[in-house]
Amino acid sequence: MATTVLERPSLLSSTSGSESYRGFCNLLHVVLAIGSFRLVLENILKYGLLVEFNWPLRFIKDPTNWPSVLLIILVNIFILIQFWLEVRLSRCSSRVYSFLFQMINLSSILIFPALYINHCQPNPAGAFIAVCSYSIVFLKLVSYTHVNYRCRQDLFEKKHDGIKQIKDCVVYPQNLTLRNLYYFIFAPTLCYQLNFPRSPCIRKNFICRRFAEILIIFSLQYCLSQQWILPILRTLDRPLNQYSILENIERLLRLALPNHFIWLLLFYAYFHSTLNLLAELLCFGDRLFYRDWWNATDLYEFW
């Protein structure tokens, strides 16, 4: 007796319902690894080994790097001024003038590094790190000032009457200590809270893994930029507007692949390894530093 075969679509058809393409993903990984390895060999054979391994010594010996280090240290002055003004405001002394000085201090955090860099002309890489540090401190102090302002309003308006203090929880103005402020400055978050979620202990194996990841990934980024990107940039012997459109597109496409590699490595090294390392050292409990941007369906969701 003949059996009836039902209508069946091909597995690659949209109507098949099959969503498992693990084998294709593995094949793409193999192709990517082979292609990348070939590019590495071709690059070394063409340009030689360009990576300089003595950059830490050159950084120390280069006097243009030290102004950036001093600039990062000087940010503590603005942090301490903001803390002192917060303490004055908590005591109801000269609230209008203290608040005005707070705004001036916050504005100075953005203006001072620009003036300092323009005057000292430090190394661009170190100046970039210093400016990023000042930007982070500015955002943190804005949040710190705003949260304390809300707590101060609740305290002065007696909105907290009848609310019992939870055991081991800090309440305003008990949070106005240098230890509390500097914990927030080093914590991997831009949003201030009087009581942060805390992890129970520091895991040494976790710290070692994250530290090893940081060393390996940043070393790989350095090698990629020295060995892959710089040779392409050195081929530019005249301004871009003197090249044809096709020549410019060709160079952009050659730079696209290493730039994507470095961008992905930077994401993992900073948002995962570095922030998790800081959080573990500080017993900081909230580790949701990023969401699944790789599944974003539009640019707004991506950012």
Side-chain angles (χ1 to χ4, degrees):
M1 182 177 179
T3 58
T4 303
V5 179
L6 299 177
E7 182 181 353
R8 294 178 297 178
S10 300
L11 289 179
L12 294 179
S13 301
S14 59
T15 57
S16 68
S18 177
E19 296 181 355
S20 178
Y21 302 102
R22 184 176 180 180
F24 282 109
C25 290
N26 293 335
L27 177 61
L28 288 175
H29 292 159
V30 172
V31 172
L32 181 62
I34 293 174
S36 300
F37 185 67
R38 185 197 66 81
L39 287 174
V40 170
L41 287 180
E42 181 184 357
N43 185 278
I44 293 176
L45 290 173
K46 185 176 181 180
Y47 301 107
L49 189 62
L50 301 176
V51 180
E52 300 177 359
F53 297 98
N54 63 337
W55 65 268
L57 294 177
R58 290 192 294 105
F59 180 86
I60 295 174
K61 293 179 181 179
D62 188 357
T64 61
N65 291 315
W66 292 107
S68 299
V69 176
L70 179 60
L71 180 60
I72 294 175
I73 295 174
L74 289 176
V75 75
N76 289 281
I77 296 175
F78 300 98
I79 295 173
L80 294 174
I81 290 175
Q82 200 74 6
F83 170 75
W84 176 69
L85 292 171
E86 279 294 339
V87 172
R88 285 178 58 89
L89 285 167
S90 68
R91 297 170 182 171
C92 305
S93 58
S94 304
R95 279 192 289 169
V96 176
Y97 293 105
S98 297
F99 182 76
L100 178 61
F101 285 132
Q102 277 187 328
M103 297 300 103
I104 295 175
N105 185 56
L106 290 174
S107 302
S108 301
I109 296 176
L110 298 179
I111 298 173
F112 175 74
L115 298 176
Y116 183 94
I117 291 171
N118 183 64
H119 176 71
C120 297
Q121 298 293 322
N123 184 284
F128 174 77
I129 296 174
V131 169
C132 288
S133 301
Y134 271 77
S135 300
I136 292 172
V137 170
F138 170 78
L139 294 172
K140 282 176 175 282
L141 289 183
V142 168
S143 177
Y144 181 76
T145 303
H146 179 71
V147 172
N148 281 311
Y149 169 78
R150 294 295 300 271
C151 292
R152 192 163 53 248
Q153 292 296 107
D154 292 345
L155 182 66
F156 292 157
E157 295 175 9
K158 306 298 181 182
K159 291 182 179 180
H160 67 298
D161 285 350
I163 301 176
K164 295 182 179 180
Q165 179 180 351
I166 302 175
K167 185 180 180 181
D168 299 329
C169 283
V170 177
V171 296
Y172 185 85
Q174 297 174 1
N175 64 305
L176 297 180
T177 63
L178 284 175
R179 181 177 180 179
N180 179 277
L181 174 56
Y182 272 94
Y183 179 87
F184 171 57
I185 293 296
F186 287 101
T189 179
L190 296 177
C191 300
Y192 177 70
Q193 299 179 37
L194 273 67
N195 298 279
F196 287 107
R198 304 295 293 272
S199 55
C201 62
I202 297 177
R203 297 166 292 177
K204 295 181 180 179
N205 292 335
F206 185 88
I207 290 177
C208 292
R209 288 197 301 270
R210 298 290 85 79
F211 187 71
E213 287 175 353
I214 293 171
L215 288 180
I216 294 172
I217 292 176
F218 278 114
S219 298
L220 183 57
Q221 285 182 304
Y222 176 74
C223 292
L224 283 174
S225 61
Q226 289 281 322
Q227 188 69 41
W228 200 344
I229 294 180
L230 283 182
I232 299 175
L233 296 177
R234 287 171 180 168
T235 61
L236 299 174
D237 54 357
R238 56 185 187 272
L240 291 177
N241 58 6
Q242 296 183 13
Y243 289 97
S244 67
I245 296 178
L246 291 178
E247 286 176 326
N248 285 329
I249 293 176
E250 188 269 340
R251 282 181 173 83
L252 287 175
L253 292 176
R254 288 173 62 191
L255 288 170
L257 189 57
N259 277 330
H260 273 78
F261 276 137
I262 290 176
W263 189 90
L264 289 172
L265 289 172
L266 179 62
F267 158 75
Y268 188 88
Y270 180 73
F271 285 98
H272 186 78
S273 301
T274 303
L275 295 185
N276 268 294
L277 177 64
L278 280 175
E280 191 68 21
L281 291 172
L282 297 172
C283 294
F284 188 81
D286 186 3
R287 308 289 177 90
L288 189 63
F289 302 126
Y290 53 88
R291 296 189 183 274
D292 55 338
W293 53 265
W294 47 89
N295 291 328
T297 56
D298 53 49
L299 190 61
Y300 176 81
E301 185 181 354
F302 173 81
W303 284 116

